[in-house]
Amino acid sequence: MRGRLATWLLVPACLLVLAACGSKARQPQVHQVAIRAMAFVPATLEVSVGDSVVWTNEDIVPHTVTAAGTFDSQSMTTKQEWRYTASKAGEYAYGCTFHPTMKGTLTVR
Amino acid sequence: MRISLAAVLSTAALMAFAPACKKSAKETPAVTAPVEGSGSSAAVTAPPPAQVTPPEGSAAAATLTDPQIAAIVVSANQVDIDAGQLALKKSKNEEVKKFAQQMVTDHTAVNKAAVDLVTKLKVTPVESDASRGLVSGGAETRAKLEKLDGDAFDRAYVDNEVAYHQAVIGVLDSQLIPSASNTELKNTLVGVKPAFDAHLQHALHIQAALAGSGSAAHAHGK
């Protein structure tokens, strides 16, 4: 009788705990990419839909973060930051419109 | 053992700059060979960028003071800004114009950073034979480029940009960076070198494209 009572108390308690855990959806994360020495660091980044990426220009010369048709920071001067929130899954190749050698890839899952 | 991303990035940055730091200050300056444009039909051979000779009385073969380095940096940037502005005025090739605009933008930014730094450090740039040579060489090159038009101009301009950036990078590695006493100045010089490397790569790419295109059509509106 006592065992059965414990079971009937335990099961709802577990269900309550599971419900509480499930209601805490993954919080969007913020990722950092440095624009340094004419490169994106890291050059490849994987994020989740809803996450944000902040690019920071650590170089002296201006740069852009541009994925044609998807996102474009426009010209970023030294120390300037630009934030993009990933809203759609996909793989996005991007670069700097000023400096053709600079390439990066953003993968959104 | 967990290795932080910052540690990996720092190690990677050090490895990237190690070759430049290892170079001896006693190395002969890289600015020597005259420029011959590859595939250029221009009668103009762009004069070689001025040789950076150390001031008399300097203890080491390639030791420069921070004020002299500051003047060289400003002069070197200004020469390329001026050449870029000339190309923006004369070229009809969209790729060349885009490159020229980038030279103006980037070298202006580097000059601003250099001037801001020397102002902060209360360093007054001191002209030297090196900085004066850069200025006079730049003027001489612009005078010759002024006489050219069309494809001949484009090729001569880009050929000179290749040679000029090769020379400046060489001087950065062999003299300016090793000689800089102030840490912030040295870090600024190290920090801008990748930009000059990227300029060189971009110029080489355009040089190859111009050489391969023969009587290159002007890429209007691309």
Side-chain angles (χ1 to χ4, degrees), chain B residues 43-174:
Chain B
V44 170
T45 296
Q51 183 159 5
V52 179
T53 52
E56 291 182 11
S58 60
T63 300
L64 296 162
T65 65
D66 286 355
Q68 289 169 328
I69 291 171
I72 289 168
V73 168
V74 170
S75 296
N77 282 309
Q78 192 59 51
V79 164
D80 217 41
I81 291 166
D82 293 343
Q85 287 171 336
L86 178 64
L88 285 170
K89 189 176 75 173
K90 290 182 73 75
S91 178
K92 302 289 189 290
N93 183 301
E94 288 303 317
E95 285 302 312
V96 172
K97 288 169 75 80
K98 195 173 167 183
F99 172 83
Q101 180 58 63
Q102 210 46 53
M103 294 305 102
V104 172
T105 301
D106 285 359
H107 287 282
T108 299
V110 176
N111 251 4
K112 181 180 184 309
V115 170
D116 288 348
L117 179 59
V118 297
T119 301
K120 173 186 164 185
L121 299 176
K122 295 182 172 48
V123 168
T124 303
V126 169
E127 298 295 340
S128 61
D129 288 344
S131 59
R132 282 186 286 268
L134 282 166
V135 172
S136 62
E140 193 179 331
T141 298
R142 281 198 316 279
K144 293 185 179 179
L145 289 173
E146 279 276 16
K147 297 175 185 171
L148 302 176
D149 290 294
D151 293 344
F153 172 84
D154 291 340
R155 289 194 171 111
Y157 167 68
V158 174
D159 288 347
N160 185 70
E161 285 295 299
V162 169
Y164 188 73
H165 280 86
Q166 285 172 334
V168 169
I169 290 166
V171 168
L172 261 175
D173 283 341
S174 65

Side-chain angles (χ1 to χ4, degrees), chain A residues 17-32:
Chain A
V17 169
L18 284 172
C21 290
S23 69
K24 289 183 183 177
R26 177 187 177 276
Q27 294 297 313
Q29 295 180 12
V30 179
H31 306 265
Q32 304 286 337

Side-chain angles (χ1 to χ4, degrees), chain A residues 37-38 41 60-62 97-100, chain B residues 9 102 105-106 109 113 192 194-195 198:
Chain A
M38 308 299 283
V41 184
I60 290 173
V61 299
T97 56
F98 301 150
H99 305 105
Chain B
L9 291 174
Q102 210 46 53
T105 301
D106 285 359
V192 302

Side-chain angles (χ1 to χ4, degrees), chain A residues 4-22:
Chain A
R4 194 174 292 177
L5 177 61
T7 301
W8 282 112
L9 286 173
L10 193 58
V11 169
C14 288
L15 289 174
L16 277 172
V17 169
L18 284 172
C21 290

Side-chain angles (χ1 to χ4, degrees), chain B residues 24-51:
Chain B
S24 165
K26 294 182 180 177
E27 280 190 349
T28 307
V31 186
T32 52
V35 173
E36 289 291 340
S38 60
S40 170
S41 60
V44 170
T45 296
Q51 183 159 5

